[in-house]
Amino acid sequence: MPSYTITVATGHQWFAGTDDYIYLTLVGTERCSERTLLDKPLYNDFERGAVDSYDINVDEDLGEIELVKIEKKKYWVHDDWYCRYITVKMPSGDYIEFPCFRWLVDDKEVVLRDGRARLPQDDKTRVAKQHRHKELELRQKTYRWKEWHPGFPMSIDANRHKDLPRDIQFDSEKGVDFILNYSKAIENLYVNQFMHMFQSSWGDFSDFERIFVRIKNTISEYVMQHWKEDFMFGYQFLNGCNPIMIRKCTKLPEKFPVTHEMVKDCLEREMTLEEEVEAGNIFIADYEIMDGVPSNATDPCTLQYLAAPICLFYRNSQNKILPIAIQLGQTPGEDNPIFLPSDSQNDWVLAKIWVRSSDFHVHQTVTHLLRTHLISEVFGIALFRQLSAVHPAYKLLLPHIRFTIAINTKARKQLICECGLFDKAIKARGMGSQEDLPYYFYRDDGIKVWDAIKSFVTDVVNIYYHCDETVQEDEEIQAFVKDVCSFGMQDLDNCGFPKCLKTKDQLVEYLTVVIFTASAQHAAVNFGQYDWCSWIPNSPPTMRKPPPTEKGQVDIKYIVESLPDRGRSCWHLGAVWALSQFQENELFLGMYPDEHFTEKPVKEAMETFRKKLTEISKFIKNRNEGKKLPYYYLSPDRIPNSVAV
């Protein structure tokens, strides 16, 4: 009588265990086993973190095991059960591992295939094909697209976190509840005493230090001390939390009529402004996207204002990027002056504050929300809808969309009632030369991480795809990329996403974009928020007076009254602190504790990937030694696998 030994591993999450009845069925190529009750409740099996073994005897050999079916039946009241994996020891002594890493809820049956990754065209048996089809059919009913806001990428069809499928919910809502985390931040920052002072202005710049005494760090304190300096202003466009706005200026735009006479005192090379442009020494940041955007009207007691500035920068002989001209609106004219470093100190400081405020808004809504959170959610929804659990791309990408849909769903409820290839995007902005811009650490570290991810993805793709035709014949990967473009991005013109993939190189590039966006790009633009935005005058979340329309009219009192009041300053400080914290038990780039892949070649590729990431982390650590402004946001040991905060 053949005997099979079944090993069941329960998750370590709180409430992962169960007292319900667990039934198991083995489906072989020859026949199925009887539906077997593994054990009865209250026998200390299926506890959190437990690994339990059971023997199943059958009358005849089942053949090669194709599927394992698990059912959870209510004992008293339903309690969800998280199964990590099931291992089957065959009568021959061989072991077959069936990764699960899923929640079993209610009385629903979960059907697993062994851990070998397979493309759709690799499935030959009727049972395998049928299982794959049913799995995707069910997922497409469970993971539905919904338009959250016109013009935005599509989101998951769920209004609240608890409405999400159990497998993509947070293990504990407490750790990612924004209201709770914000309250904790306010308590940690010790700014409670200022919260009741809404609409009350600060006295002067030094007054902001009153909410800046509890938690300081190397960068935030340096920003506080040097925020007025042109060097600090320019440096943030390279290595702050929004390092993607600046680009090389190849031609001065007509809407920004800066002349050589205006800026000649800022130029060091005895060249005209036009010659400096030709030489590649002039850069620009244009906030045209802000033009015409209505200001926030949520508080009727306080008028708020926005601007759409344009800022011109000069790369001096020390390779520092310095601002040399600022226009606060998109249409030139007498009421839209071009502010210069040679103007009065108050005029120039206020002009830079307006640029920093506009940069904050673009960073939060476009760079951070749209280009990491929402784009990653699109990838995640399409992945669940179109890739079966045995598909290698599913196994590869799943850790990088972990909790992304959940965090976005909570954000839409609590906070907020163009994506391109990294290296090409850098070059397209004229920012690719290390010789021209030797201190652009976001670029340098980003390219290193991009290359490491791409090398890893290439290794995995080469294991499963033998030629370009294999990609073309993979109906699931083609459905995945089409779902992203046609549904997730609503077929928006110039969205930057293909509707099909024809080559292995295209597949590698696409998968690299998904992983880099969800991990490195999000880390680069998220975890520096407290560093760069906690000193309120350096990154005002709101402005209470309109942009100046002439020079020589503002004083310190006007500037301070333009900045956020005491209450909003405290709210902002708490928010950027909370958003800059890592999650408990964070999984960083290269960490894959859930072993969805079981094949040795993939595990070897993972190990190679981790070694490359370790080398990059060591390089960044050594480079940062002794620096007053260390750049560590793209150090792999500080890059979470996914957008989860």
Side-chain angles (χ1 to χ4, degrees), residues 394-405:
Y394 179 92
K395 294 171 179 280
L396 178 67
L397 297 181
L398 189 63
H400 301 288
I401 55 95
R402 176 177 178 260
F403 298 151
T404 298
I405 300 173

Side-chain angles (χ1 to χ4, degrees), residues 291-307:
D291 195 29
V293 175
S295 58
N296 196 329
T298 55
D299 181 6
C301 299
T302 304
L303 291 176
Q304 299 177 63
Y305 298 90
L306 297 174

Side-chain angles (χ1 to χ4, degrees), residues 139-150:
R139 291 238 217 96
Q140 287 163 15
K141 292 177 181 177
T142 305
Y143 295 85
R144 302 175 304 276
W145 293 111
K146 177 183 176 181
E147 185 178 63
W148 166 53
H149 194 76

Side-chain angles (χ1 to χ4, degrees), residues 144-245:
R144 302 175 304 276
W145 293 111
K146 177 183 176 181
E147 185 178 63
W148 166 53
H149 194 76
F152 275 76
M154 297 282 269
S155 65
I156 190 77
D157 185 6
N159 294 322
R160 300 166 298 176
H161 178 265
K162 68 178 183 180
D163 299 331
L164 294 171
R166 183 66 181 90
D167 284 327
I168 60 171
Q169 292 182 23
F170 284 107
D171 297 333
S172 167
E173 283 198 62
K174 182 178 178 182
V176 289
D177 187 287
F178 292 115
I179 305 302
L180 186 65
N181 287 356
Y182 166 71
S183 301
K184 180 181 177 182
I186 293 300
E187 180 182 346
N188 287 345
L189 294 166
Y190 202 61
V191 294
N192 311 58
Q193 69 268 37
F194 298 106
M195 289 301 294
H196 67 284
M197 299 181 184
F198 270 98
Q199 288 90 46
S200 174
S201 295
W202 301 96
D204 53 34
F205 291 134
S206 61
D207 235 13
F208 285 96
E209 290 189 51
R210 296 175 64 185
I211 60 168
F212 201 65
V213 296
R214 186 67 179 264
I215 297 179
K216 295 181 182 178
N217 60 40
T218 303
I219 295 176
S220 62
E221 192 161 0
Y222 195 88
V223 170
M224 178 186 71
Q225 296 167 350
H226 299 278
W227 71 278
K228 289 184 182 180
E229 299 172 18
D230 288 351
F231 158 73
M232 175 59 70
F233 181 86
Y235 180 86
Q236 293 176 76
F237 281 84
L238 299 180
N239 300 311
C241 54
N242 192 27
I244 68 168
M245 288 300 298

Side-chain angles (χ1 to χ4, degrees), residues 217-276:
N217 60 40
T218 303
I219 295 176
S220 62
E221 192 161 0
Y222 195 88
V223 170
M224 178 186 71
Q225 296 167 350
H226 299 278
W227 71 278
K228 289 184 182 180
E229 299 172 18
D230 288 351
F231 158 73
M232 175 59 70
F233 181 86
Y235 180 86
Q236 293 176 76
F237 281 84
L238 299 180
N239 300 311
C241 54
N242 192 27
I244 68 168
M245 288 300 298
I246 192 170
R247 60 180 174 83
K248 185 168 285 187
C249 181
T250 56
K251 182 183 178 182
L252 292 169
E254 292 183 4
K255 64 180 181 180
F256 191 25
V258 182
T259 66
H260 172 75
E261 194 66 26
M262 290 178 180
V263 299
K264 64 180 181 181
D265 292 341
C266 300
L267 309 181
E268 300 178 356
R269 297 181 177 88
E270 297 184 357
M271 299 165 65
T272 66
L273 176 59
E274 290 72 18
E275 290 170 338
E276 295 279 17

Side-chain angles (χ1 to χ4, degrees), residues 252-506:
L252 292 169
E254 292 183 4
K255 64 180 181 180
F256 191 25
V258 182
T259 66
H260 172 75
E261 194 66 26
M262 290 178 180
V263 299
K264 64 180 181 181
D265 292 341
C266 300
L267 309 181
E268 300 178 356
R269 297 181 177 88
E270 297 184 357
M271 299 165 65
T272 66
L273 176 59
E274 290 72 18
E275 290 170 338
E276 295 279 17
V277 170
E278 287 290 326
N281 297 322
I282 303 297
F283 298 81
I284 193 169
D286 187 349
Y287 295 87
E288 183 179 14
I289 194 173
M290 297 286 292
D291 195 29
V293 175
S295 58
N296 196 329
T298 55
D299 181 6
C301 299
T302 304
L303 291 176
Q304 299 177 63
Y305 298 90
L306 297 174
I310 313 171
C311 186
L312 206 65
F313 300 87
Y314 177 60
R315 180 174 64 89
N316 69 8
S317 54
Q318 287 80 44
N319 288 316
K320 293 181 179 179
I321 297 292
L322 304 174
I324 59 173
I326 295 172
Q327 181 176 287
L328 297 181
Q330 292 288 309
T331 305
E334 291 186 3
D335 61 347
N336 189 18
I338 296 176
F339 293 94
L340 307 167
S342 55
D343 292 337
S344 72
Q345 182 181 11
N346 288 338
D347 281 350
W348 185 234
V349 165
L350 182 57
K352 289 190 293 182
I353 287 174
W354 267 107
V355 174
R356 294 297 309 146
S357 182
S358 298
D359 189 79
F360 175 83
H361 291 296
V362 172
H363 166 257
Q364 292 294 3
T365 56
V366 180
T367 307
H368 184 203
L369 175 64
L370 174 62
R371 292 184 176 174
T372 62
H373 278 259
L374 300 186
I375 294 298
S376 293
E377 180 174 359
V378 167
F379 291 135
I381 298 170
L383 174 131
F384 284 117
R385 287 172 52 82
Q386 304 299 346
L387 298 179
S388 65
V390 297
H391 197 289
Y394 179 92
K395 294 171 179 280
L396 178 67
L397 297 181
L398 189 63
H400 301 288
I401 55 95
R402 176 177 178 260
F403 298 151
T404 298
I405 300 173
I407 196 71
N408 287 358
T409 302
K410 291 190 71 69
R412 281 189 285 269
K413 188 70 175 176
Q414 292 188 338
L415 284 184
I416 47 173
C417 308
E418 134 189 7
C419 178
L421 308 184
F422 181 78
D423 51 355
K424 291 181 181 177
I426 293 288
K427 292 171 184 174
R429 293 191 288 116
M431 307 296 289
S433 171
Q434 191 168 24
E435 183 178 347
D436 289 347
L437 293 170
Y439 306 116
Y440 197 7
F441 303 125
Y442 162 77
R443 172 203 61 203
D444 299 339
D445 297 351
I447 289 174
K448 286 183 175 66
V449 174
W450 171 276
D451 288 344
I453 294 172
K454 187 174 182 179
S455 177
F456 171 51
V457 171
T458 300
D459 289 344
V460 175
V461 166
N462 284 337
I463 292 170
Y464 300 101
Y465 294 86
H466 306 300
C467 58
D468 293 342
E469 286 72 22
T470 315
V471 176
Q472 297 165 20
E473 294 167 0
D474 183 350
E475 58 188 29
E476 286 186 10
I477 205 71
Q478 300 299 339
F480 169 61
V481 299
K482 184 177 181 181
D483 214 14
V484 167
C485 181
S486 297
F487 290 92
M489 297 303 298
Q490 304 187 64
D491 252 338
L492 295 176
D493 294 337
N494 303 315
C495 73
F497 296 102
K499 289 186 178 179
C500 66
L501 300 175
K502 296 182 179 180
T503 68
K504 288 171 60 176
D505 288 344
Q506 289 176 351

